[in-house]
Amino acid sequence: MDILTETLRSVQLRSQIYGRLEMKAPWGMRVDGHDVTTFYALSRGGCVLDVGGRRLTLAPGDVVFLRARLAHALRDRPGSRAVSAEEVYAQRGGRCGGIVHYGGEGAPTTIVAGGLHFTDARLNPLVASLPEVMHVKGDGGVATRWLESTLQFVAAEMDAELPGHELVAGRLADVLFVQALRTHVAGVTCEEAGWLRALWDPTLGVALQRMHERPADPWTVEALARAAGVSRSAFAARFKGVLGLAPLEYLTRWRMHRAADMLADEAASTAAVATAVGYDTDGAFLKAFKRHMGETPGAYRRKARARESR
């Protein structure tokens, strides 16, 4: 399994559709930062998005994902007054979901809005590497045609409002994110840093694959450098320069992320988890897990079970 697929499997992604926004010019919506990744997908019309000092123009087929806690505003055009999201959703009693109408009598714009929540992804390298703003343009490429097809399914579910439509739309939003991420990764340049860039690096990609495939192995920097086919010093410097972490620091974080994922499985004992991620003793594993996760494996497992039961 490739690293991106494996890491996506371990993200524990939960999506929610906030609604299909049917806006007519002039209109504007202001959104405070929330603890979830927000996304907007345009199926008709156009608008501008002001976020983090930048202004993006969104067209039909475009999808944009905004990192958690990032305040932003959507408008039909620059200068239009933007009201709070609460005012836009007031017609539904402040509740998310369904079809929301807002604005004047001008040109229409249709936007599917939603949010993504990554459960316990503190040490997941994919989530940490996501850009503040991920804008995928619907410009007709093969990847974006898949995005547009998924977006059409989401819009159709919201339009039909059949029983369970929000659940189905939420699952489709998961697919939308994966497809958008694949399109974004394909456009990552050699000049960029971070985990997504490292996946395509001919040196670092091999080392990452080894660590992800066999986290329990007694890896050393020398062994990873040999696998990558470069000197120890060159490998260590390149790894730190692109990922911002030393190789063995990254390995420990990945081990703890995998351990957290395994602890959520009731069938896995703490001793088995410790062995699976490369620790010879429960004591050493407990110490490392608590240092990185802020709680013991037992406490983490109890919380994970409580979340699953809700």
Side-chain angles (χ1 to χ4, degrees), residues 228-245:
V230 296
S231 70
R232 181 191 185 283
S233 58
F235 172 75
R238 183 158 185 77
F239 197 102
K240 183 69 178 288
V242 175
L243 283 101
L245 295 170

Side-chain angles (χ1 to χ4, degrees), residues 61 63 140-153 172 175-176 179-180 182-183:
V63 184
V142 173
T144 52
R145 285 201 293 274
W146 277 101
L147 281 169
E148 290 169 5
S149 297
T150 305
L151 178 55
Q152 289 171 6
F153 278 123
L172 289 169
V175 176
L176 196 66
Q179 291 175 339
R182 288 162 61 186
T183 304

Side-chain angles (χ1 to χ4, degrees), residues 23-279:
M23 317 295 265
K24 287 190 175 182
W27 62 269
M29 181 176 72
R30 185 181 69 254
V31 181
D32 296 329
H34 299 300
D35 291 333
V36 297
T37 296
T38 303
F39 74 85
Y40 300 102
L42 266 71
S43 60
R44 177 176 63 162
C47 66
V48 293
L49 167 67
D50 292 312
V51 56
R54 301 166 57 189
R55 172 165 290 165
L56 304 177
T57 300
L58 307 183
D62 283 14
V63 184
V64 62
F65 293 84
L66 308 178
R67 186 180 289 179
R69 292 179 289 280
L70 199 59
H72 55 278
L74 289 160
R75 298 177 173 85
D76 66 297
R77 60 178 179 79
S80 289
R81 176 173 173 266
V83 302
S84 68
E86 289 76 13
E87 184 170 337
V88 172
Y89 282 88
Q91 59 168 276
R92 295 184 57 84
R95 295 178 293 106
C96 289
I99 299 175
V100 179
H101 296 272
Y102 186 81
E105 299 296 329
T109 296
T110 301
I111 306 170
V112 175
L116 309 175
H117 178 69
F118 303 101
T119 304
D120 278 338
R122 285 169 281 181
L123 300 181
N124 188 296
L126 166 62
V127 177
S129 70
L130 290 176
E132 279 197 342
V133 179
M134 185 168 71
H135 180 196
V136 178
K137 296 183 179 181
D139 55 6
V142 173
T144 52
R145 285 201 293 274
W146 277 101
L147 281 169
E148 290 169 5
S149 297
T150 305
L151 178 55
Q152 289 171 6
F153 278 123
V154 174
E157 282 293 328
M158 300 303 295
D159 188 46
E161 294 196 82
L162 297 172
H165 72 279
E166 290 184 356
L167 176 63
V168 173
R171 296 296 180 267
L172 289 169
D174 293 350
V175 176
L176 196 66
F177 170 71
V178 173
Q179 291 175 339
L181 180 63
R182 288 162 61 186
T183 304
H184 172 77
V185 169
V188 172
T189 66
C190 295
E191 291 74 27
E192 296 179 53
W195 187 80
L196 292 173
R197 167 69 189 95
L199 294 185
W200 300 101
D201 188 288
T203 299
L204 302 181
V206 173
L208 289 175
Q209 187 76 39
R210 297 290 189 275
M211 286 188 277
H212 279 241
E213 287 176 345
R214 308 198 308 264
D217 282 14
W219 291 111
T220 63
V221 178
E222 289 84 356
L224 291 168
R226 281 197 302 273
V230 296
S231 70
R232 181 191 185 283
S233 58
F235 172 75
R238 183 158 185 77
F239 197 102
K240 183 69 178 288
V242 175
L243 283 101
L245 295 170
L248 297 187
E249 184 181 359
Y250 176 90
L251 175 62
T252 300
R253 289 172 63 90
W254 177 247
R255 285 172 166 172
M256 294 303 102
H257 174 71
R258 290 294 299 123
D261 193 36
M262 294 177 68
L263 285 167
D265 181 357
E266 295 184 22
S269 68
T270 301
V273 172
T275 301
V277 296
Y279 287 85

